[in-house]
Amino acid sequence: MTSSRTTPSKPAASPERGSGSGIALLVIASCQLMVVLDITIVNIALPHIQTSLGFSTETLSWVINAYTLTFGGLLLLGGRLGDILGRRRVFMFGVLLFVFASLLGGLSQESWQLLAARSLQGVGGAIASPTALSLITTTFREGPERNRAFGVFAAVSAGGSAIGLLAGGLLVEWLDWRWVLFVNIPIGLLIALATPRYIRESERHPGHFDIVGALMSTAGMVLLVYGFIRASEDGWSDSVTISAFVAAVVLLGLFLAVERRSRQPITPLWMFRDRNRAGVYGMMLCLAAAMFGMFFFLTLFVQNILNFSPLRAGLAFLPVSAIIAVGAGLASQLLPKWGPKPFMVVGAVLAAAGLGWLTLTDVDSTYMGSLLGPVLVFGFGMGMQFVSLTLMAVSGVESRNAGAASGILNATQQVGGSLGLSVLVTVFGTASRNEATDQVPRFMAEATRAEQLEFRRTGELPGRWGDEVLASGISSSFIAAAVFAVVAALIALVVIQVRPADLERLQGGGVPLAPAADAPESDAVEAGSSDGPPPRNGPSAPG
């Protein structure tokens, strides 16, 4: 475990309204858009990447998971870096690392090179993203001003997925799949240049970097995801699959043990003792699993079964971006009056309904008749969710712990997406193999001799027979995604409890932030640390 002790600098000025606030929000939101967009901008290029670098359908998911696993696994460390070293400084470093990794990814000639670059991109995103969210908490006053800023940030976080699909379609159609990575370079450089001019440096707190905890959690999640993907290809009884799951459980168990004993853990476990915050993290885990899977498989469906070009596929998802923004805007306006719980429950139910509707897709489905409706229902529900979840996750958290709180929220989103996608890939693989077993006899009875010879050579069913296999696997994966959304709705209904003080904070009532009464004395650290809960009877820092 590496230590870094710094002398606290002069506290940053309190957030004020000013001409720079709008531009500061634009810079912060642009970074979040770039980081989130990168997950799905690559999605639209997956068929071309598969052909160019030789991935199978199951291993193709690693192009997404290599990014999201390092992103999610190191987000907590990234948030801590900002608390200790200064958020603006760390924010700029993360953006520049992301730009460098994007350049390497675009230049990749082998599959392993692309996966390595995607992993490095995840590291850069893990440093920049939680710091960006923390900068909002220290730049905008709690109340309506911060609510609006969170509304923009949440809309970008949710809508970035759909925007990425459109941008990816344009780049792949007009240029090449490599440009879905090269496009980050000019955007990231502009963000890095604007940051020192429009964003103040935050107060620096002394603390430690829990590198051991970060590596354990990341390695454990990588092995867990690998186990699911391996099971989809080689079965649950495969020795490597079993070994991966066992190693994952051991590493994640050790991670929890280390965090429980550490004076300054990367994951402050006391934050999970607040039922609302724990519920929010659980909901984000489930909803991200559903969302990542939906975009991944729907992208394959429209390009491989509906034969959409990359540009047309990107345009097909444009309504999703608009409806997510509508849902986020509606939630941010009505939250102070109604509180977040109604939006959490209704949003999750709508997401589940949209995914349940998508389970009806088959080879005869059309975009207008079968896909657009459920995707709009899903997107509206997700837009309502992201604003509510973001506000509840950081509500009542002291400024010095904002990096940790936002880091856990982002981590659950990325880890949930990776884990959920791996589960859905396993469901897809099982359903596809079962459907292939049914389709092979039909193919042999109906195919020409030339088609039969090609099948014996490649082992892949051509034409409608192959589409039937792919559609069956995708439809089954949507069933599992809908289950994730239903679990999120149940958590919102049963776990989340909005208190009067929470509503007063959302309305800008100036309610002082209460100390974390449920945090034990043994977890507290010396005054001024960014890593522990506030003292039981000590004064609360300004929110």
Side-chain angles (χ1 to χ4, degrees), residues 426-440:
T426 304
V427 173
F428 168 85
T430 302
S432 296
R433 282 194 299 272
N434 293 338
E435 182 65 24
T437 301
D438 294 336
Q439 289 295 328
V440 168

Side-chain angles (χ1 to χ4, degrees), residues 214-517:
L215 294 179
M216 278 186 175
S217 63
T218 303
M221 288 308 305
V222 167
L223 286 169
L224 187 60
V225 168
Y226 175 75
F228 279 111
I229 294 177
R230 176 86 182 191
S232 72
E233 296 178 312
D234 299 292
W236 293 94
S237 61
D238 177 67
S239 60
V240 177
T241 300
I242 296 173
S243 298
F245 281 126
V246 171
V249 170
V250 170
L251 280 174
L252 293 175
L254 289 174
F255 165 71
L256 291 176
V258 168
E259 297 305 282
R260 190 174 291 112
R261 296 170 63 91
S262 175
R263 286 180 58 82
Q264 295 184 340
I266 190 174
T267 307
L269 298 180
W270 60 268
M271 283 191 173
F272 290 88
R273 295 173 188 168
D274 181 283
R275 64 179 293 161
N276 283 346
R277 196 169 295 120
V280 163
Y281 294 150
M283 288 184 65
M284 181 63 84
L285 196 76
C286 294
L287 291 170
M291 184 178 69
F292 278 47
M294 190 274 286
F295 279 119
F296 180 84
F297 286 109
L298 212 53
T299 301
L300 295 180
F301 186 89
V302 298
Q303 292 194 67
N304 292 342
I305 294 180
L306 300 185
N307 295 315
F308 280 18
S309 67
L311 176 57
R312 191 179 177 191
L315 290 171
F317 288 100
L318 186 58
V320 182
S321 177
I323 200 66
I324 286 176
V326 171
L330 179 66
S332 63
Q333 291 295 320
L334 298 179
L335 266 170
K337 180 179 180 180
W338 292 353
K341 182 168 182 174
F343 298 98
M344 291 180 174
V345 175
V346 174
V349 169
L350 288 176
L355 291 166
W357 193 352
L358 282 173
T359 63
L360 303 178
T361 54
D362 56 29
V363 292
D364 296 317
S365 295
T366 62
Y367 173 73
M368 293 298 296
S370 307
L371 301 183
L372 182 59
V375 164
L376 289 178
V377 172
F378 175 84
F380 187 74
M382 291 301 294
M384 297 170 66
Q385 286 293 331
F386 276 97
V387 177
S388 308
L389 295 174
T390 301
L391 283 170
M392 285 299 292
V394 298
S395 177
V397 176
E398 292 190 349
S399 176
R400 64 180 182 173
N401 291 314
S406 59
I408 295 174
L409 179 66
N410 278 288
T412 53
Q413 180 181 354
Q414 301 307 322
V415 170
S418 296
L419 185 59
L421 181 55
S422 67
V423 172
L424 299 186
V425 164
T426 304
V427 173
F428 168 85
T430 302
S432 296
R433 282 194 299 272
N434 293 338
E435 182 65 24
T437 301
D438 294 336
Q439 289 295 328
V440 168
R442 299 174 191 172
F443 167 77
M444 298 302 291
E446 301 172 14
T448 64
R449 182 171 178 79
E451 289 174 330
Q452 292 179 11
L453 290 174
E454 181 67 12
F455 171 66
R456 291 190 178 97
R457 187 181 69 84
T458 63
E460 297 181 0
L461 289 169
R464 184 178 177 87
W465 300 282
D467 288 349
E468 290 280 4
V469 172
L470 183 61
S472 177
I474 290 175
S475 177
S476 297
S477 71
F478 287 144
I479 295 174
V483 171
F484 283 127
V486 168
V487 172
L490 291 175
I491 293 174
L493 189 63
V494 176
V495 177
I496 301 299
Q497 291 183 343
V498 179
R499 296 156 293 212
D502 296 323
L503 284 176
E504 290 187 47
R505 276 196 291 269
L506 291 173
Q507 295 165 0
V511 179
L513 297 180

Side-chain angles (χ1 to χ4, degrees), residues 11-41:
S14 61
E16 297 177 357
R17 300 178 188 270
S19 60
S21 295
I23 300 178
L25 180 58
L26 176 63
V27 172
I28 294 170
S30 296
C31 172
Q32 183 67 3
L33 177 63
M34 180 180 69
V35 170
V36 173
L37 176 149
D38 200 74
I39 299 170
T40 53
I41 196 173

Side-chain angles (χ1 to χ4, degrees), residues 513-526:
L513 297 180
D518 57 352
E521 298 282 357
S522 60
D523 288 343
V525 296
E526 62 269 25

